[in-house]
Every structure is written in C-alpha cells, then in structure tokens.
Amino acid sequence: MQKTALVVGANGVIATNLINHLLELDDWNVIGLSRRGGKDTEKLKYLAVDLLDAKQTIDKLSGLKEVTHVFYAAFQNRPTWAELVTPNLSMLINVVEAIEPVATNLQHISLMQGYKVYGAHLGPFKTPAKESDGGHMPPEFNVDQQQYLEKKQKNKHWTWSAIRPSVVAGTALGNPMNLVLVIAVYASITKELGLPLRFPGKPGAYDKLMEMTDAGLLAKATIWAATTDQCANQAFNITNGDLFRWNDLWPKIARYFSLETAPPLQMLLQTVMADKEPLWNGIQKKYGLNKHSYQEVSSWAFGDGVFSWDYDFIGDGTKARRFGFYEFVETEEMFYRLFDELKAKKVIPA
Ligand SMILES: NC(=O)c1ccc[n+]([C@@H]2O[C@H](COP(=O)([O-])OP(=O)(O)OC[C@H]3O[C@@H](n4cnc5c(N)ncnc54)[C@H](OP(=O)(O)O)[C@@H]3O)[C@@H](O)[C@H]2O)c1
C-alpha cells in the first residue's frame, strides 16, 4: 500500500538520508518539512514551516491529510542542555498537534533521539547502554519528547517508535552536528598547512571505546521500526555494530588523507579553527571546490564535544537485532566512503 511520509527536519544530517532512502523505495511519497524548504520532485514535496510558530504550523499542515507516517528529526541548537528543552519539545508538540487531526490515516510517529537519554552528554554513563536502563535527572529534551508521545498515543490507533543512534555519520552540510565533516575539513586544512594530523581531543578520549551510526543504516532502521508491528511503542539503539578507539582509527584516517600523524594535542577546535575562514576560502579556490561558506562546513563545537568524551561511549544494539533488524556497517570503511563522497561532491579537495 502506498504510504506518505512527513519527514520533519528535512535538511538535517539524519533526515536528508532518510528522505533519500524513502525515495529509493517504491511505496512511499515524501513530504520534507523544515524552515528552509527545498526543491520539489515528482515523489518529494517540500514544505517550509517554522515549527516554533504553532499557528503557522497548523495553517501549513492543514492540507496534509494523506500523511501516514511522521518521521521527526528536527533539532534546534541551544548553548545549554536546559535551554534545549523548550524549543525542541515545542516543535514536536506543534507538529503532532497540527497533523493528528487532519491525517486521518496516521499510522506511526517515529522520534529521532540519541544517547542523551542515557545521560551520555553528562559524563561517564553505564555502558553498554540499554533501552531498559533507568532514567536520569532532567532537564533532557529527548526524554520529554518521548513522554509527550507516550501520553499522546494512549487510546489512539497510531503507534510510535524512538530511535537512538550513536554519533551519526553523513555528508549533509550546514548542520551543527556532523562529525564526518569536522574531520574532513580539519584534515583538509591541516594538509594545506603542511602539518601532521593531531587528535585534538582530551588525552583520555584517545583510547576509549566508541561507535558510530551510518546515516544510511539509520534510515533503514528507522523505516523498519516504523513499519514493523512488533516495534510499536518501543525504543531501539541503532549503531553500526562494531566498536573502535580513536588511537587505532585516527592514524588510519590520517593515512587516507595522505597525512602523517603526531601525538595528540588537546585544543578546542572552536578556538583554533575560528580564524581559518580565509584559508578555507583559498582552499576552495585553489582546488576548484564548490562554494560552501565556512559556516556551512563548520561543526567545530560538536567535534569538541565528541573528542572530549574520555569515557566509553557505547550502546547495546542487540534489541533491534532481537526484533529483526540485522544490518551493520563497518565503521572504518564508512569513514572512507563518506570522505570519498565529500570529495566527489567537491566539498573537500580530492
Ligand atoms: N547528528 C548527530 O550526530 C546525532 C546523533 C545522535 C542523535 N541526534 C539527534 O537527532 C536529531 C536530529 O539531529 P540532526 O543532527 O539530524 O539535526 P540537524 O542536522 O541540525 O537538522 C535539524 C533539522 O531541523 C530543521 N529545523 C530546525 N529548526 C526548525 C524549525 N524551527 N522549524 C522547522 N524545522 C526546523 C533544520 O532545517 P532548517 O534549518 O531548514 O529549518 C534541519 O533540517 C536531534 O534530536 C539530535 O539530537 C543527532
């Protein structure tokens, strides 16, 4: 049966890949929602909406009666964990309150979460984190969003699922959280300066266990959970399925970029990359790259966050497997594939 997906946060690292994957499948029409909107195609329509504006959201979504599945992956960045709560909870509430009354055949609402549910952003947390682990002290917007959905779903015919990826790897641009882009642009600038590639994180972060979630794998898992009956009203960790330590992977990434490595040197990327815009503009010109502003390719604060985790950062991915999702991605190969993609798209030098 033909289904219609409303993908919320359509220009994000996560939603961009979700949309691309939905379009590869035969039985989906897609509506992509974000403030910026996008270019319509036969199977994909964009809707430019500011979800912080409840009235605008109701108005603009009032005609979407064909929507069967909502995939929520919007995100508003704020400087503190507490400040993230109000805008991110409001956006979800506004979209659900607007779509539920008009989409009479609504079947599912999928919520994109992360390991903040486990307190991973606060410090060393219990690993591998399981979906059944106990909660932690608020404020935390992922938990509030899930609680809102659980309450809203009571006595309804639609169901929800919550998807919990680790750090997500994709090649979308202009997003605050994109680790692949952080490493690719950091390496390209390092190379241009003739320097070795130093791990910039905390000394204790270099040898801890890490994992990633490929955005393509995440897209498949998200759709699987949204369309599989036994996944109704459940949360799932979704990860590549392998683990790594930066002290093993970092020199390999350096080799990919034909760079030497040198011992790690702790530095905040936000600080040391702040003056590199003219250099970046020069690199774009020198290597004939497509024009992307320095802002569009800079997720330095997120890089600083990830490289500061001097504790294991891993979830238990077996629940999804027990429920029937068996795909995996080899993380080292994934990094090279995504760097290759950035080169092919002329975002970084070949
Ligand atoms: N990236 C990661 O590594 C990662 C890892 C684990 C979990 N997560 C979680 O996954 C979720 C999505 O993350 P992401 O990294 O994909 O986010 P993202 O790249 O920042 O994308 C967020 C999307 O939300 C849209 N948006 C923001 N404000 C909006 C508004 N007022 N109205 C309508 N649309 C709005 C943005 O598009 P416009 O600018 O066009 O509005 C953008 O398309 C978040 O909850 C995040 O915590 C992310």
Side-chain angles (χ1 to χ4, degrees):
M1 205 186 69
Q2 201 64 20
K3 300 181 275 289
T4 299
L6 177 64
V7 181
V8 183
N11 291 314
V13 179
I14 291 175
T16 305
N17 280 271
L18 183 61
I19 289 177
N20 290 342
H21 186 57
L22 283 164
L23 294 175
E24 283 167 12
L25 306 172
D26 288 335
D27 49 348
W28 289 92
N29 294 315
V30 185
I31 302 163
L33 186 161
S34 81
R35 287 165 305 181
R36 276 173 284 174
K39 209 164 154 246
D40 290 355
T41 61
E42 197 191 325
K43 281 176 75 181
L44 170 64
K45 304 280 173 254
Y46 279 99
L47 201 58
V49 183
D50 182 355
L51 291 178
L52 290 173
D53 184 333
K55 177 158 180 338
Q56 187 193 113
T57 308
I58 289 174
D59 289 348
K60 294 225 178 165
L61 272 57
S62 63
L64 301 187
K65 58 178 190 310
E66 71 275 29
V67 169
T68 53
H69 293 70
V70 175
F71 294 95
Y72 186 89
F75 177 66
Q76 272 273 319
N77 205 12
R78 290 290 184 277
T80 66
W81 306 125
E83 286 170 277
L84 285 169
V85 175
T86 303
N88 285 293
L89 185 58
S90 305
M91 290 200 300
L92 175 68
I93 293 175
N94 289 345
V95 82
V96 173
E97 299 294 329
I99 200 70
E100 207 199 17
V102 295
T104 47
N105 189 25
L106 183 65
Q107 292 169 30
H108 195 83
I109 300 180
S110 163
L111 174 65
M112 191 54 63
Q113 298 186 309
Y115 287 8
K116 291 191 189 80
V117 170
Y118 304 124
H121 56 303
L122 300 174
F125 61 108
K126 176 242 156 188
T127 51
K130 286 194 176 205
E131 294 86 341
S132 54
D133 287 350
H136 64 84
M137 189 64 75
E140 205 292 288
F141 75 90
N142 288 276
V143 172
D144 291 350
Q145 287 178 328
Q146 183 176 328
Q147 285 172 350
Y148 162 75
L149 271 191
E150 284 177 8
K151 224 165 147 184
K152 188 82 191 160
Q153 187 272 337
K154 291 259 178 308
N155 304 319
K156 304 283 169 59
H157 63 266
W158 56 268
T159 57
W160 61 267
S161 57
I163 303 298
R164 300 174 181 171
S166 182
V167 177
V168 177
T171 57
L173 303 179
N175 312 91
M177 297 185 286
N178 188 337
L179 191 69
V180 167
L181 205 57
V182 168
I183 297 174
V185 175
Y186 175 66
S188 302
I189 288 176
T190 298
K191 193 167 183 174
E192 195 59 20
L193 292 171
L195 297 168
L197 192 70
R198 289 181 191 269
F199 179 73
K202 277 193 189 167
Y206 206 43
D207 65 354
K208 295 303 177 294
L209 277 176
M210 267 292 294
E211 64 185 2
M212 298 282 296
T213 302
D214 175 75
L217 175 97
L218 181 60
K220 289 181 190 168
T222 304
I223 297 165
W224 160 78
T227 53
T228 301
D229 286 347
Q230 63 165 338
C231 297
N233 307 332
Q234 298 278 335
F236 295 97
N237 293 338
I238 299 295
T239 67
N240 282 356
D242 61 358
L243 307 176
F244 69 93
R245 299 178 202 273
W246 289 116
N247 62 7
D248 179 55
L249 189 59
W250 193 262
K252 292 175 179 164
I253 289 177
R255 263 201 300 283
Y256 169 92
F257 285 102
S258 306
L259 285 164
E260 300 288 325
T261 36
L265 178 64
Q266 189 179 354
M267 55 188 144
L268 279 180
L269 293 174
Q270 284 170 94
T271 308
V272 297
M273 303 312 277
D275 65 347
K276 303 294 184 292
E277 183 168 357
L279 181 60
W280 175 251
N281 292 340
I283 290 174
Q284 288 191 327
K285 220 169 169 181
K286 181 171 167 188
Y287 298 98
L289 303 181
N290 288 329
K291 188 88 191 108
H292 295 292
S293 69
Y294 191 54
Q295 167 104 38
E296 249 186 300
V297 299
S298 303
S299 318
W300 303 125
F302 185 59
D304 288 334
V306 173
F307 296 142
S308 76
W309 295 334
D310 51 3
Y311 44 90
D312 291 345
F313 197 93
I314 54 175
D316 181 320
T318 58
K319 180 178 174 188
R321 267 172 258 157
R322 281 199 308 279
F323 278 64
F325 184 77
Y326 303 117
E327 299 226 12
F328 65 91
V329 162
E330 189 189 345
T331 298
E332 185 182 336
E333 173 281 325
M334 175 200 79
F335 271 110
Y336 303 152
R337 170 169 47 81
L338 295 175
F339 294 146
D340 283 349
E341 217 176 275
L342 288 172
K343 287 180 177 178
K345 287 182 180 167
K346 289 185 179 281
V347 176
I348 58 168

